Each structure stands twice: as structure tokens, then as C-alpha cells.
Amino acid sequence: MDGGIPGPQSGPMETFENLVRAEFAPKHTYLNTASNGLLPARTVTALEQAVRMRADGTPLGPLYENVETVRASFARLAGVPAERVATGASVAEYGGLIAASLPAGAEVLTVEGDFASLVNPFHVRGDLKVRAVPLERLAESVRPGTALVAVSTAQSADGRLADLPAVRAAARAHGARTYVDASQSAGWLPMEADADDFLAAVGFKWLLGPHGAAFFVAPQDFGGLTPLLAGWAAGELPWDSCYGPVEQLAHSARRFDISPSLFTYAGLRASLELIEEIGVDAVHAHDVALADRFRAGLAELGHEPVPSPGSAIVSVPGLGHRQGELSRAGIQVSDRAGNLRAAFHLYNTAADVDRLLDVLAA
């Protein structure tokens, strides 16, 4: 090009490709991020360094500092102040806190077949009215007396996206709160955590981190939640809260923290740095373009996926039984309730899509 000046699209695209190429070299056609994301090379290095610190007896202060760096990084991705972000291990623990805050008999509106970690805490209370409706009817099903609407941004089983603006509007109209599980979207779909009362997400899927960490966005006033799992890490001065009752809980959402898995946060720090370097908007465009390519290829083969426009997850009824065959061919997908589920992320390419289609056509 004249003078070496890149075209309007080549700069960002080149940066995207260079970053991905430097971080990922999968040995299989990996299309299963909805189960587990791949670890970037920088994350593997960070984990190795953290393990070596433990083995060498090195002071672990930097590993504890990672927790705050990760909290701030997730907060930027979620679009909220870091003071509203808690760190834990599972979405279910946060659902448990919300469930515990509801009065007996309160109605919780959920989606049929939504992920267990989201809905089960409300069922085990035993004295709540948990009502499940089809995803497409969620907003219209909010009614007077509904206390909470709990829904995943993207359905784990088939990738269908919730109409969150409609759900939020309906909830506000009836005085209900909203609780969103972004585990299947955080990292490829921009988050609007400030638009909901509560949001939770795990870090080991689209955020590309190790297992063992989850995030929770609480309201500024904590939404009436009691920090039932609070230990020393939930204190305003954690290292002064190690013995006896915690005298002063953190003034921020850190009061909902549990003791951190230090290795996990060492890895997550590196993973979230990569997500932020590339940018969620770029990841979103890349992932959805691959999913659309797969949908188009399926149509040519005579297969009709579950309608999930705009999603990076594609689920094909009746093809789940081919998961074993695909795995033997070096293609990693999931079998979910008889459906073949493919999930596309930043390390995937058009060649991955075409290889999956070729094997399905064989």
C-alpha cells in the first residue's frame, strides 16, 4: 500500500489476528467455548508463575493484588464501578444470596430450561413461588406480584438471547427486580450491568479464565442482600478481620466476596487483559460472523438450527448424536438434549466452521 498506510479495516483486523495468533494454537477444532474457554498463552504463563511462587515460598502479596486488578477489569467490561463488583466461585452462591433476601411466598419468574445454577437456589428455598415460562414470553409474563425476574443473557442449551430491554421494562412496570446470568455472553456480548439489579457471570467460559472464579454486580445499596458467606475477605480491612466476628464489613460489594482462589485470579488477570486489548465489540463481530457462517452452511445441508439470531452459540436439533463422531475427527462440540451445540469464539476461524460443515455433510 502507498506509504505503508493500512486501509480503514486492516489496522484493527491485523491487531486482532496478531493477538489471537500469539495466544492460541489449539490442536483440535475447538468449538465448545459454551462449556469451557481455551486458556491464552499469557494465562498459562501467569498460572505457572503463580504455582512457582507457592513452591518457592515467595511472598504471595502480588497474587492477592491480582484479585483487585481482576475486579477492576471485569467492572470495566460490565460498565459499572469496581465498588459494585464482588468476586466468588459460582453463580449459584449469588443466587442463594438473592433467594435468601426474598420474603416467603415471593414470586420468581424464570425461563423454562434455564441453567440450574441460576434457577435452583430459588427452588431450594421451598417457600418461594418459582414460575417458569418460555423465553420468548418472559417479558409479557411479568405481572403484579412478581418480585424478581431471573434469566440468562444467552441460553446455555441453545444460545437464544433474552430480550433484556423488554424484560427490564416489564419488570420496572410491575415493581420487580432483574437478575441476569451473563456466563454465556460476558466476553463476546457487551454487558449493560447497570441496567439490571443484579448480574453474575463465571470466568471460565468466554472470559477465557481458569475455573474457580465468578463475578457478581450488586446495586450501590446492596439490594437488601445479607452477606451470608462473609468471612475474613469480606471485611473492610481483611487482614484485620481474621479472628472472631468481622467487626466491619466492606463498604463496597466486596462484602460479598469469598476467600479468593489465588491461582485462578493470576490466570484471570492475564485473560481479561487480552479481552480488553482486543475489545468486546471486535470479539462480538468476529464470533457472530462465524456463527452466521455456520447457520448458512447448515441451511445448505438441509438442517435448521434453533433460532438464535445474533448469538455466538448455534444449536442444531437432531444432530447431538454425532458429537462422538465429531470428537473422534478432532472437532470439539457439545451434545445438549439431543442438539448439537457449537460455540464460536475469538480463536476460531472460517476454516473451523467449514471443517465442521464438511464432517456433518459426510
Side-chain angles (χ1 to χ4, degrees):
M1 275 183 271
D2 185 24
I5 300 174
Q9 300 296 323
S10 61
M13 180 60 69
E14 182 179 5
T15 299
F16 184 103
E17 292 180 352
N18 288 343
L19 281 170
V20 172
R21 192 179 305 115
E23 297 292 345
F24 301 100
K27 296 182 179 179
H28 304 278
T29 301
Y30 189 81
L31 302 171
N32 202 21
T33 302
S35 293
N36 305 281
L38 297 183
L39 296 180
R42 66 177 70 184
T43 301
V44 174
T45 298
L47 288 167
E48 292 172 342
Q49 291 173 344
V51 171
R52 178 49 56 191
M53 290 175 69
R54 280 288 302 275
D56 292 345
T58 303
L60 302 182
L63 299 188
Y64 284 98
E65 292 169 6
N66 286 334
V67 180
E68 298 312 312
T69 302
V70 166
R71 190 192 315 275
S73 182
F74 183 84
R76 288 190 293 271
L77 293 172
V80 296
E83 292 74 20
R84 288 184 55 191
V85 177
T87 62
S90 167
V91 165
E93 72 188 65
Y94 300 122
L97 294 181
I98 298 171
S101 74
L102 298 173
E107 178 179 278
V108 180
L109 183 63
T110 65
V111 169
E112 293 175 349
D114 212 332
F115 200 72
S117 294
L118 174 67
V119 302
N120 198 57
F122 303 104
H123 285 272
V124 298
R125 258 287 298 264
D127 59 355
L128 299 176
K129 298 176 182 177
V130 185
R131 186 162 58 101
V133 299
L135 177 64
E136 61 273 12
R137 290 178 48 202
L138 185 62
E140 68 184 62
S141 298
V142 184
R143 62 191 182 186
T146 301
L148 180 76
V149 184
V151 61
S152 294
T153 307
Q155 290 295 296
S156 173
D158 52 35
R160 289 176 299 150
L161 300 179
D163 185 352
L164 291 180
V167 171
R168 293 163 181 152
R172 285 194 297 269
H174 293 288
R177 294 187 292 179
T178 56
Y179 169 38
V180 169
D181 181 354
S183 295
Q184 290 291 8
S185 62
W188 71 267
L189 186 67
M191 284 184 281
E192 297 179 304
D194 201 37
D196 294 294
D197 295 282
F198 308 104
L199 179 143
V202 296
F204 65 86
K205 296 180 185 289
W206 308 87
L207 293 176
L208 310 175
H211 283 74
F215 301 96
F216 180 57
V217 179
Q220 200 73 43
D221 63 0
F222 309 131
L225 303 187
T226 299
L228 299 174
L229 305 179
W232 72 277
E236 176 65 17
L237 300 173
W239 295 108
D240 293 339
S241 302
C242 294
Y243 305 104
V246 176
E247 295 185 1
Q248 187 177 40
L249 290 168
H251 302 315
S252 67
R254 194 168 52 74
R255 62 175 50 200
F256 303 115
D257 278 18
I258 63 172
S259 186
S261 300
L262 295 182
F263 294 164
T264 295
Y265 285 93
L268 255 178
R269 177 175 182 167
S271 296
L272 295 188
E273 284 174 353
L274 176 62
I275 294 289
E276 290 200 84
E277 285 177 32
I278 294 176
V280 173
D281 287 341
V283 177
H284 174 264
H286 174 86
D287 291 9
V288 174
L290 293 180
D292 287 344
R293 184 185 185 95
F294 183 49
R295 292 185 182 97
L298 286 168
E300 293 180 4
L301 296 178
H303 299 295
E304 185 175 350
V306 174
S308 57
S311 180
I313 302 171
V314 182
S315 184
V316 193
L319 292 184
H321 68 281
R322 300 193 65 179
Q323 185 269 335
E325 168 196 349
L326 289 164
S327 181
R328 291 188 292 273
I331 302 173
Q332 301 303 316
V333 292
S334 289
D335 175 4
R336 289 294 181 268
N339 297 345
L340 180 79
R341 187 186 69 184
F344 303 92
H345 205 16
L346 76 170
Y347 33 69
N348 296 129
T349 65
D352 293 335
V353 179
D354 295 344
R355 182 153 188 262
L356 173 57
L357 290 167
D358 287 344
V359 175
L360 289 176

